[in-house]
Amino acid sequence: ETGVTQSPTHLIKTRGQQVTLRCSSQSGHNTVSWYQQALGQGPQFIFQYYREEENGRGNFPPRFSGLQFPNYSSELNVNALELDDSALYLCASTKAGRIETQYFGPGTRLLVL
Amino acid sequence: AQKVTQAQTEISVVEKEDVTLDCVYETRDTTYYLFWYKQPPSGELVFLIRRNSFDEQNEISGRYSWNFQKSTSSFNFTITASQVVDSAVYFCALSERTGNQFYFGTGTSLTVIP
C-alpha cells in the first residue's frame, strides 16, 4: 500500500450537481496530483497542487477546481456535473520536485446519471 | 499528439510464459523519466519501475526486466515466468523535466491463463 487514501470510494450523482473528492497524501509528500481515468483509457492529468497552490493544469475546464491544505491533503471539486465526468478519479502524491515517482491512491469511482 | 503509445491493447499468455509489453514515447525534452505502473481490478495504480533518460542500462528486478532504447524511443517491459497474479492493466508513463504531469498510455490488458 502507498499510504495515499481517498474518499469516498464510490459516488453516484446526477447531472448538474456538484461533487467533492478527498485525498490524503503519503507521509513526507507535499505535492498532490489529480487524474481522471475514463473506462478503458489511461489516466489524464487534471492538475497538481504544491504548497497549497495550483502548480500545473491539464486540459480540463474551470468547473474542475481544487484545494490543498496545510497538512498536504487535497480536495477535487467538480461543479455542474456532466455525464462524461463519470470516471475513476485518482490522486497521486509525491515529494517536491517535478520528476519524482507518483504514488497513487485507490481512486474514487464517480457515476453521473 | 499522443506522447505515450501502447499499441498492444490486450495480451493473453499461458502461465509461466514470458511476456513483453511495448511502449513508445515522444518528447523533445532531453531530461525525462519513464515509468511502468500496474492496475489490478481494484483500480489502484501500483508503481513498478522507473528509468531516467540518461541511463539506458537495462536491468532485471526479480521477474521484471526492461529494455530502454532512446534511439527508437521505446521502453519495453518484460515479465518472466508469468503468474496468474500478473493479470492486470499495465500503463507506461512519461514525465518531462519541463512539466509536472505524467503522460500515460492507453494501457495493455494482460491476462495470464492458468
Side-chain angles (χ1 to χ4, degrees):
Chain A
E1 291 192 3
T2 63
V4 180
T5 60
Q6 292 187 243
S7 62
T9 55
H10 296 81
L11 206 50
I12 299 175
K13 292 285 188 179
T14 57
R15 196 170 47 183
Q17 285 188 313
Q18 178 265 343
V19 68
T20 297
L21 310 181
R22 295 178 176 82
C23 170
S24 292
S25 60
Q26 183 178 110
S27 177
H29 287 183
N30 57 12
T31 302
V32 173
S33 300
W34 286 92
Y35 291 81
Q36 180 196 66
Q37 186 179 16
L39 197 62
Q41 300 296 315
Q44 298 291 316
F45 176 73
I46 303 175
F47 44 56
Q48 182 183 86
Y49 275 83
Y50 170 63
R51 291 184 174 179
E52 303 178 48
E53 292 191 358
E54 190 177 287
N55 185 42
R57 188 180 185 92
N59 189 25
F60 281 82
R63 60 188 184 85
F64 285 78
S65 63
L67 284 173
Q68 187 180 32
F69 300 98
N71 66 353
Y72 308 128
S73 65
S74 176
E75 286 183 354
L76 163 64
N77 299 290
V78 186
N79 294 322
L81 283 167
E82 301 177 359
L83 297 180
D84 285 348
D85 295 334
S86 296
L88 177 67
Y89 288 84
L90 293 162
C91 164
S93 78
T94 185
K95 292 181 282 189
R98 295 196 182 105
I99 306 184
E100 289 286 343
T101 301
Q102 295 193 354
Y103 294 92
F104 286 81
T108 294
R109 294 188 185 274
L110 172 65
L111 177 61
V112 181
L113 301 176
Chain B
Q2 188 75 9
K3 284 185 176 284
V4 178
T5 302
Q6 294 180 254
Q8 305 154 307
T9 53
E10 295 183 5
I11 299 177
S12 292
V13 297
V14 176
E15 197 171 21
K16 297 184 183 178
E17 287 185 345
D18 299 347
V19 58
T20 295
L21 310 180
D22 298 335
C23 173
V24 174
Y25 63 92
E26 178 184 335
T27 180
R28 293 181 179 180
D29 274 9
T30 55
T31 301
Y32 53 90
Y33 279 72
L34 295 161
F35 301 80
W36 276 97
Y37 284 84
K38 172 183 178 181
Q39 188 174 44
S42 61
E44 183 170 345
L45 279 167
V46 178
F47 165 70
L48 297 176
I49 57 174
R50 152 184 154 158
R51 207 77 194 148
N52 73 58
S53 53
F54 295 106
D55 186 359
E56 287 191 73
Q57 182 178 354
N58 296 310
E59 292 186 14
I60 298 173
S61 175
R63 294 188 299 112
Y64 298 156
S65 63
W66 49 95
N67 185 350
F68 175 33
Q69 293 191 351
K70 289 176 73 172
S71 60
T72 56
S73 297
S74 65
F75 184 52
N76 297 336
F77 176 62
T78 297
I79 304 174
T80 304
S82 60
Q83 301 174 2
V84 173
V85 293
D86 295 328
S87 296
V89 180
Y90 289 81
F91 289 96
C92 179
L94 165 71
S95 179
E96 299 169 318
R97 180 183 60 83
T98 55
N100 48 16
Q101 65 174 292
F102 275 32
Y103 298 93
F104 284 86
T106 50
T108 298
S109 177
L110 172 66
T111 301
V112 180
I113 304 166

